[in-house]
Structures are given as structure tokens and as C-alpha cells.
Amino acid sequence: MDYHRTPLGTSTAPYRDVWHVVLANTAARHHTERHCFSLQSHLLGAAVLLMVEETPLVTSSAMASPTVPAPSRFLIFFDFDETVIAESSDDAVIRVAPGQTIPDWLKDTFRPGQYHEHSRHILTYLAQQGVSEGTIRDAIENIQPAPGLPVLLGFLRSHHQDFECVVLSDANTYFIETWLRKAGTRQLFSEILTNPGSFNKDGHLVLQPYHAHTCPRCPDNMCKQVILRDYLGRRARERGIPFQKVFYIGDGANDVCPTLALGQKDTAFPRRDFPMHRVIQDMQREQPGIYKPMVMPWASGEDVVDCLKKAMEER
């Protein structure tokens, strides 16, 4: 549930205004926010001393360790709403409300940067109207994928040894898990980093914030850059080597902040003419050089596939 999405009857202007306010602060903070990963090598050695002629020779094949698969070369982050799926998951759920909409008083509770809180209000309203878990599940399962995403996911499945895939979204675990399992693509993603969401004993879907943070650019419940940095640091320690490249696919204004942690060898894929794309264009025009990763706008998942194929050819 990304805060860039426009609630029914509201304007998209506030989301871009938030970023214009913080652009100047971004330049000052950018150099201190770079995250470095060190490559550590561990050398293992063994010595075999043959004390007597009768000691059997140990062949190299007997001493060989089991083959360990090489770690993935690339890491790819996906937003969910309007990136993996074609629309906002909230909008799909609103259509199961009485009259297929929510009342004006509920729409008016939305505040820019507070989409998570607004989503909680919507789900409370649906529970009060008697909307069941099964009805919500059906609404989520029937959401169409974004254009070309089946092709992209199919490509990643056939090259799973090269790509580690992660969902990083301001939606919630119930919506994302439900849709991915129905689509048969849950196993493609090593982790889903999002707000906890589950049904309680009364049959109400309850959302919790992902974490607390101090980033001025992001909504109170989630800073995607903090989460992305934590994930990169943890995986670097677990793998012992960094990823060759990092890719980020998104669409909303809150997908810009995590890409500020990427380097020149990495790539941001903003959905063409969506808020993420427009904010990046503003940054590049107003503060040239501050935005480090390559920018490859996409209209279809096939556009992303073409870029990933080129990356795989590089050594």
C-alpha cells in the first residue's frame, strides 16, 4: 500500500510536493548515506602427513567437498502495488465494500504520507460492514498482473541461479502472500519485506507498521531505504561477497528513497510516467549528479527482461 497511490477523489500533487521539500536535504545527506560492503576471503588449508608406506593414498576425488552452488550474481527488489500487480490492492478491496466504494467521510481521512493508517481505517470499515476473509481473499486473487510481469517472472524463474528476488512493499503480508501463491510465484521470492497483516479471531484483517524510523522522506511506518540497506548488509555478511549488481523495480514516490542507496553500477526501473519516474526526472534536472544508479523506465515487464539479459552477458 504505497503512499504514492491516489485515494479516490484526491490529487497526486501532494506526493511530488513532499519530494520537492526534501530534495535539498537529500544532496547534503547523500554522501553520508553510502553503504560500503567489504569482501572478506577465507582460505582453508589441510596438510596430510604420510607416516608409513602402508598408509593408503587418499585420492583427490575422495577429498573433494560437495559442490556448493555459486551465489546469485544479482539482487532484484520489487515493489508490489502497480509494479507486480496492475493496480492498488486497496482499490481492489474497496470494490467489495457495499456499493463498491467507501463513504466520503472515510476518503477524507487520508493524509499525504499516511497511506498505511488510511488502509487500516478502510479495513476497519470493511469489517464493520461484514466483509469476510473469503471475500477479501477473492478480491486479491483476482487482481491482474502488471503489463508484461508474467514474462518477467518467467524469465527470472528460468534464471533463478543468477537472481535473488525480494518484494519490498508498503502493502501487507496478507495481500502479497495471497496474490503470489495464487499466481504460483511465491517460491521465486526469497523474502517479502512489508507491513505485517493477518486476520484476528474476530475475522478482521489487522495491519501493523513495519518499523519506526527517522527518514523525513518516508511515511511513518516504513522507510524502504533503511530496509534495503539492512537487507544488503545482512546478505553481504551471509554470502561473504557482495552482489554484482542491484536492481529496483517500482512505480511510486516512496520507491525513490531506497534507490538513493544504489550505486552507479546498479539500476532503477521506474514505471514510465508514474510518480517514481517523475520524481527522479525532477531530481536529475534540479540537482544533476545526485542520483547515482542508471535509470531505465519501463512500461512492460518485457522492458526489464531486455535490460537483465544484457546484465547477464557482462562478466
Side-chain angles (χ1 to χ4, degrees), residues 26 31 42-43 56 76 85 95 116 122 129 133 176 186 189 213 230 245 253 257 260 265 272 287 292 297 305 311:
T26 300
H31 292 292
H42 301 277
L43 301 178
I76 182 165
I85 59 176
R95 291 197 294 271
H116 178 74
I122 292 173
Q129 299 302 309
E133 176 179 355
I176 298 173
R186 175 61 184 89
F189 297 94
H213 63 88
D230 288 346
K245 292 180 183 291
C257 188
L260 295 177
K265 66 178 182 179
R272 187 178 298 277
Q287 299 182 10
K292 300 303 183 184
V305 170

mmCIF file of all heavy atoms in Angstrom, residues 26 31 42-43 56 76 85 95 116 122 129 133 176 186 189 213 230 245 253 257 260 265 272 287 292 297 305 311:
data_model
loop_
_atom_site.group_PDB
_atom_site.id
_atom_site.type_symbol
_atom_site.label_atom_id
_atom_site.label_comp_id
_atom_site.label_asym_id
_atom_site.label_seq_id
_atom_site.Cartn_x
_atom_site.Cartn_y
_atom_site.Cartn_z
ATOM 1 N N THR A 26 18.430 16.088 0.640
ATOM 2 C CA THR A 26 18.934 14.837 0.075
ATOM 3 C C THR A 26 20.369 14.981 -0.390
ATOM 4 O O THR A 26 21.214 14.117 -0.167
ATOM 5 C CB THR A 26 18.054 14.409 -1.109
ATOM 6 O OG1 THR A 26 16.720 14.232 -0.648
ATOM 7 C CG2 THR A 26 18.556 13.101 -1.711
ATOM 8 N N HIS A 31 26.068 11.807 0.567
ATOM 9 C CA HIS A 31 27.402 11.199 0.669
ATOM 10 C C HIS A 31 27.572 10.442 1.972
ATOM 11 O O HIS A 31 28.364 9.508 2.047
ATOM 12 C CB HIS A 31 28.464 12.277 0.516
ATOM 13 C CG HIS A 31 28.496 12.852 -0.876
ATOM 14 N ND1 HIS A 31 28.896 12.133 -1.977
ATOM 15 C CD2 HIS A 31 28.148 14.082 -1.342
ATOM 16 C CE1 HIS A 31 28.824 12.887 -3.050
ATOM 17 N NE2 HIS A 31 28.357 14.066 -2.701
ATOM 18 N N HIS A 42 38.143 -16.222 2.957
ATOM 19 C CA HIS A 42 38.587 -17.157 3.984
ATOM 20 C C HIS A 42 39.288 -18.315 3.273
ATOM 21 O O HIS A 42 38.690 -18.970 2.413
ATOM 22 C CB HIS A 42 37.398 -17.682 4.785
ATOM 23 C CG HIS A 42 36.623 -16.580 5.448
ATOM 24 N ND1 HIS A 42 36.980 -16.013 6.652
ATOM 25 C CD2 HIS A 42 35.519 -15.936 5.050
ATOM 26 C CE1 HIS A 42 36.130 -15.076 6.975
ATOM 27 N NE2 HIS A 42 35.227 -14.997 6.018
ATOM 28 N N LEU A 43 40.543 -18.516 3.596
ATOM 29 C CA LEU A 43 41.301 -19.592 2.960
ATOM 30 C C LEU A 43 41.391 -20.773 3.905
ATOM 31 O O LEU A 43 41.741 -20.614 5.072
ATOM 32 C CB LEU A 43 42.710 -19.092 2.621
ATOM 33 C CG LEU A 43 42.756 -17.868 1.673
ATOM 34 C CD1 LEU A 43 44.198 -17.437 1.461
ATOM 35 C CD2 LEU A 43 42.112 -18.241 0.362
ATOM 36 N N PRO A 56 47.233 -45.911 3.185
ATOM 37 C CA PRO A 56 46.591 -45.840 1.863
ATOM 38 C C PRO A 56 46.644 -44.406 1.342
ATOM 39 O O PRO A 56 46.538 -43.446 2.089
ATOM 40 C CB PRO A 56 45.146 -46.266 2.139
ATOM 41 C CG PRO A 56 45.174 -46.971 3.470
ATOM 42 C CD PRO A 56 46.288 -46.351 4.236
ATOM 43 N N ILE A 76 17.428 -8.343 -7.014
ATOM 44 C CA ILE A 76 16.390 -7.529 -7.625
ATOM 45 C C ILE A 76 15.239 -7.330 -6.641
ATOM 46 O O ILE A 76 14.694 -8.300 -6.110
ATOM 47 C CB ILE A 76 15.909 -8.148 -8.959
ATOM 48 C CG1 ILE A 76 14.856 -7.286 -9.634
ATOM 49 C CG2 ILE A 76 15.431 -9.557 -8.782
ATOM 50 C CD1 ILE A 76 14.628 -7.676 -11.096
ATOM 51 N N ILE A 85 1.493 -6.142 -9.459
ATOM 52 C CA ILE A 85 0.082 -6.199 -9.857
ATOM 53 C C ILE A 85 -0.299 -4.901 -10.572
ATOM 54 O O ILE A 85 0.382 -3.880 -10.454
ATOM 55 C CB ILE A 85 -0.851 -6.464 -8.664
ATOM 56 C CG1 ILE A 85 -0.699 -5.364 -7.599
ATOM 57 C CG2 ILE A 85 -0.555 -7.836 -8.077
ATOM 58 C CD1 ILE A 85 -1.670 -5.511 -6.430
ATOM 59 N N ARG A 95 -13.591 -2.346 -3.717
ATOM 60 C CA ARG A 95 -14.697 -2.755 -4.597
ATOM 61 C C ARG A 95 -15.594 -3.819 -3.980
ATOM 62 O O ARG A 95 -16.678 -4.089 -4.505
ATOM 63 C CB ARG A 95 -14.153 -3.222 -5.945
ATOM 64 C CG ARG A 95 -13.559 -2.091 -6.782
ATOM 65 C CD ARG A 95 -13.419 -2.512 -8.239
ATOM 66 N NE ARG A 95 -12.451 -3.569 -8.404
ATOM 67 C CZ ARG A 95 -11.152 -3.368 -8.614
ATOM 68 N NH1 ARG A 95 -10.673 -2.128 -8.674
ATOM 69 N NH2 ARG A 95 -10.325 -4.386 -8.785
ATOM 70 N N HIS A 116 -0.655 4.023 5.090
ATOM 71 C CA HIS A 116 -0.814 2.840 5.940
ATOM 72 C C HIS A 116 -1.955 3.041 6.929
ATOM 73 O O HIS A 116 -2.807 2.149 7.107
ATOM 74 C CB HIS A 116 0.493 2.558 6.688
ATOM 75 C CG HIS A 116 0.432 1.401 7.623
ATOM 76 N ND1 HIS A 116 0.423 0.096 7.206
ATOM 77 C CD2 HIS A 116 0.378 1.349 8.987
ATOM 78 C CE1 HIS A 116 0.366 -0.707 8.241
ATOM 79 N NE2 HIS A 116 0.338 0.024 9.339
ATOM 80 N N ILE A 122 -9.752 1.783 6.304
ATOM 81 C CA ILE A 122 -10.574 1.111 5.298
ATOM 82 C C ILE A 122 -10.903 -0.310 5.729
ATOM 83 O O ILE A 122 -12.055 -0.758 5.641
ATOM 84 C CB ILE A 122 -9.855 1.110 3.935
ATOM 85 C CG1 ILE A 122 -9.777 2.533 3.378
ATOM 86 C CG2 ILE A 122 -10.570 0.189 2.953
ATOM 87 C CD1 ILE A 122 -8.931 2.649 2.129
ATOM 88 N N GLN A 129 -18.749 -3.610 8.059
ATOM 89 C CA GLN A 129 -19.785 -3.883 7.062
ATOM 90 C C GLN A 129 -19.978 -5.375 6.809
ATOM 91 O O GLN A 129 -20.770 -5.763 5.953
ATOM 92 C CB GLN A 129 -19.435 -3.179 5.745
ATOM 93 C CG GLN A 129 -19.334 -1.665 5.860
ATOM 94 C CD GLN A 129 -20.606 -1.043 6.363
ATOM 95 O OE1 GLN A 129 -21.695 -1.293 5.847
ATOM 96 N NE2 GLN A 129 -20.489 -0.223 7.418
ATOM 97 N N GLU A 133 -13.310 -12.695 5.261
ATOM 98 C CA GLU A 133 -11.965 -13.005 4.789
ATOM 99 C C GLU A 133 -12.015 -13.612 3.389
ATOM 100 O O GLU A 133 -11.194 -13.264 2.530
ATOM 101 C CB GLU A 133 -11.271 -13.971 5.745
ATOM 102 C CG GLU A 133 -9.895 -14.414 5.257
ATOM 103 C CD GLU A 133 -9.185 -15.363 6.203
ATOM 104 O OE1 GLU A 133 -9.727 -15.622 7.306
ATOM 105 O OE2 GLU A 133 -8.093 -15.837 5.855
ATOM 106 N N ILE A 176 0.066 -9.649 -0.233
ATOM 107 C CA ILE A 176 1.156 -10.086 -1.108
ATOM 108 C C ILE A 176 1.263 -11.608 -1.150
ATOM 109 O O ILE A 176 1.356 -12.215 -2.232
ATOM 110 C CB ILE A 176 2.488 -9.457 -0.660
ATOM 111 C CG1 ILE A 176 2.405 -7.927 -0.780
ATOM 112 C CG2 ILE A 176 3.652 -9.989 -1.500
ATOM 113 C CD1 ILE A 176 3.612 -7.204 -0.215
ATOM 114 N N ARG A 186 5.178 -17.568 -5.549
ATOM 115 C CA ARG A 186 5.707 -17.278 -4.217
ATOM 116 C C ARG A 186 7.129 -17.797 -4.047
ATOM 117 O O ARG A 186 7.981 -17.128 -3.426
ATOM 118 C CB ARG A 186 4.795 -17.869 -3.137
ATOM 119 C CG ARG A 186 5.335 -17.726 -1.709
ATOM 120 C CD ARG A 186 5.514 -16.269 -1.336
ATOM 121 N NE ARG A 186 6.117 -16.072 -0.021
ATOM 122 C CZ ARG A 186 7.422 -15.991 0.198
ATOM 123 N NH1 ARG A 186 8.291 -16.127 -0.826
ATOM 124 N NH2 ARG A 186 7.888 -15.793 1.412
ATOM 125 N N PHE A 189 10.500 -15.693 -4.682
ATOM 126 C CA PHE A 189 10.978 -14.619 -3.823
ATOM 127 C C PHE A 189 11.544 -15.178 -2.517
ATOM 128 O O PHE A 189 10.858 -15.909 -1.801
ATOM 129 C CB PHE A 189 9.845 -13.637 -3.539
ATOM 130 C CG PHE A 189 9.342 -12.945 -4.778
ATOM 131 C CD1 PHE A 189 8.263 -13.452 -5.478
ATOM 132 C CD2 PHE A 189 9.983 -11.814 -5.255
ATOM 133 C CE1 PHE A 189 7.810 -12.832 -6.628
ATOM 134 C CE2 PHE A 189 9.538 -11.184 -6.402
ATOM 135 C CZ PHE A 189 8.454 -11.688 -7.097
ATOM 136 N N HIS A 213 11.246 4.770 12.148
ATOM 137 C CA HIS A 213 12.471 5.289 11.544
ATOM 138 C C HIS A 213 12.458 6.804 11.653
ATOM 139 O O HIS A 213 11.488 7.404 12.140
ATOM 140 C CB HIS A 213 12.564 4.854 10.076
ATOM 141 C CG HIS A 213 11.460 5.408 9.226
ATOM 142 N ND1 HIS A 213 11.542 6.633 8.603
ATOM 143 C CD2 HIS A 213 10.228 4.930 8.928
ATOM 144 C CE1 HIS A 213 10.423 6.883 7.954
ATOM 145 N NE2 HIS A 213 9.609 5.857 8.137
ATOM 146 N N ASP A 230 19.597 -2.546 5.286
ATOM 147 C CA ASP A 230 19.716 -3.639 6.246
ATOM 148 C C ASP A 230 19.807 -4.983 5.531
ATOM 149 O O ASP A 230 20.600 -5.861 5.910
ATOM 150 C CB ASP A 230 18.520 -3.635 7.199
ATOM 151 C CG ASP A 230 18.568 -2.494 8.197
ATOM 152 O OD1 ASP A 230 19.636 -1.867 8.333
ATOM 153 O OD2 ASP A 230 17.534 -2.232 8.851
ATOM 154 N N LYS A 245 25.381 -6.655 -9.107
ATOM 155 C CA LYS A 245 24.514 -5.518 -9.381
ATOM 156 C C LYS A 245 23.237 -5.653 -8.561
ATOM 157 O O LYS A 245 22.808 -6.766 -8.237
ATOM 158 C CB LYS A 245 24.137 -5.432 -10.871
ATOM 159 C CG LYS A 245 25.275 -5.096 -11.828
ATOM 160 C CD LYS A 245 24.765 -5.048 -13.253
ATOM 161 C CE LYS A 245 25.889 -4.789 -14.246
ATOM 162 N NZ LYS A 245 26.429 -3.427 -14.115
ATOM 163 N N ALA A 253 6.279 7.290 -5.527
ATOM 164 C CA ALA A 253 7.218 8.263 -4.977
ATOM 165 C C ALA A 253 8.047 7.665 -3.851
ATOM 166 O O ALA A 253 9.220 8.018 -3.680
ATOM 167 C CB ALA A 253 6.460 9.501 -4.490
ATOM 168 N N CYS A 257 13.277 6.779 -2.516
ATOM 169 C CA CYS A 257 14.188 6.780 -1.373
ATOM 170 C C CYS A 257 15.110 5.560 -1.338
ATOM 171 O O CYS A 257 16.317 5.717 -1.162
ATOM 172 C CB CYS A 257 13.396 6.895 -0.067
ATOM 173 S SG CYS A 257 14.430 7.150 1.403
ATOM 174 N N LEU A 260 18.165 5.710 -3.639
ATOM 175 C CA LEU A 260 19.253 6.629 -3.308
ATOM 176 C C LEU A 260 20.432 5.895 -2.673
ATOM 177 O O LEU A 260 21.537 6.443 -2.595
ATOM 178 C CB LEU A 260 18.753 7.716 -2.361
ATOM 179 C CG LEU A 260 17.703 8.678 -2.927
ATOM 180 C CD1 LEU A 260 17.241 9.648 -1.852
ATOM 181 C CD2 LEU A 260 18.250 9.422 -4.136
ATOM 182 N N LYS A 265 26.732 1.343 -10.650
ATOM 183 C CA LYS A 265 26.638 0.083 -11.391
ATOM 184 C C LYS A 265 25.241 -0.537 -11.285
ATOM 185 O O LYS A 265 24.935 -1.506 -11.993
ATOM 186 C CB LYS A 265 27.669 -0.917 -10.863
ATOM 187 C CG LYS A 265 27.401 -1.360 -9.432
ATOM 188 C CD LYS A 265 28.420 -2.377 -8.965
ATOM 189 C CE LYS A 265 28.100 -2.843 -7.534
ATOM 190 N NZ LYS A 265 29.059 -3.855 -7.056
ATOM 191 N N ARG A 272 7.205 3.941 -16.250
ATOM 192 C CA ARG A 272 7.193 5.150 -17.074
ATOM 193 C C ARG A 272 5.962 6.014 -16.783
ATOM 194 O O ARG A 272 4.822 5.520 -16.770
ATOM 195 C CB ARG A 272 7.225 4.783 -18.562
ATOM 196 C CG ARG A 272 7.378 5.975 -19.495
ATOM 197 C CD ARG A 272 7.449 5.524 -20.941
ATOM 198 N NE ARG A 272 8.592 4.665 -21.202
ATOM 199 C CZ ARG A 272 9.821 5.104 -21.443
ATOM 200 N NH1 ARG A 272 10.054 6.425 -21.443
ATOM 201 N NH2 ARG A 272 10.806 4.260 -21.672
ATOM 202 N N GLN A 287 19.122 18.812 -9.593
ATOM 203 C CA GLN A 287 20.404 18.558 -8.935
ATOM 204 C C GLN A 287 21.170 17.493 -9.708
ATOM 205 O O GLN A 287 21.264 16.344 -9.281
ATOM 206 C CB GLN A 287 20.183 18.121 -7.480
ATOM 207 C CG GLN A 287 19.482 19.173 -6.641
ATOM 208 C CD GLN A 287 19.325 18.737 -5.198
ATOM 209 O OE1 GLN A 287 19.894 17.746 -4.768
ATOM 210 N NE2 GLN A 287 18.555 19.482 -4.438
ATOM 211 N N LYS A 292 22.497 8.460 -8.459
ATOM 212 C CA LYS A 292 23.619 7.655 -8.922
ATOM 213 C C LYS A 292 23.257 6.486 -9.841
ATOM 214 O O LYS A 292 23.962 6.234 -10.819
ATOM 215 C CB LYS A 292 24.409 7.139 -7.723
ATOM 216 C CG LYS A 292 24.991 8.243 -6.835
ATOM 217 C CD LYS A 292 25.887 9.178 -7.624
ATOM 218 C CE LYS A 292 26.508 10.232 -6.709
ATOM 219 N NZ LYS A 292 27.317 11.205 -7.474
ATOM 220 N N PRO A 297 13.379 3.456 -17.497
ATOM 221 C CA PRO A 297 11.921 3.436 -17.354
ATOM 222 C C PRO A 297 11.317 2.207 -18.044
ATOM 223 O O PRO A 297 11.831 1.727 -19.060
ATOM 224 C CB PRO A 297 11.484 4.734 -18.046
ATOM 225 C CG PRO A 297 12.701 5.594 -18.050
ATOM 226 C CD PRO A 297 13.859 4.647 -18.191
ATOM 227 N N VAL A 305 13.162 -7.284 -18.783
ATOM 228 C CA VAL A 305 13.844 -8.504 -19.235
ATOM 229 C C VAL A 305 14.987 -8.156 -20.184
ATOM 230 O O VAL A 305 16.095 -8.713 -20.072
ATOM 231 C CB VAL A 305 12.853 -9.466 -19.917
ATOM 232 C CG1 VAL A 305 13.599 -10.621 -20.592
ATOM 233 C CG2 VAL A 305 11.867 -10.020 -18.896
ATOM 234 N N ALA A 311 22.659 -7.454 -18.721
ATOM 235 C CA ALA A 311 23.471 -7.546 -17.497
ATOM 236 C C ALA A 311 24.080 -8.931 -17.340
ATOM 237 O O ALA A 311 25.226 -9.077 -16.904
ATOM 238 C CB ALA A 311 22.616 -7.206 -16.283
#
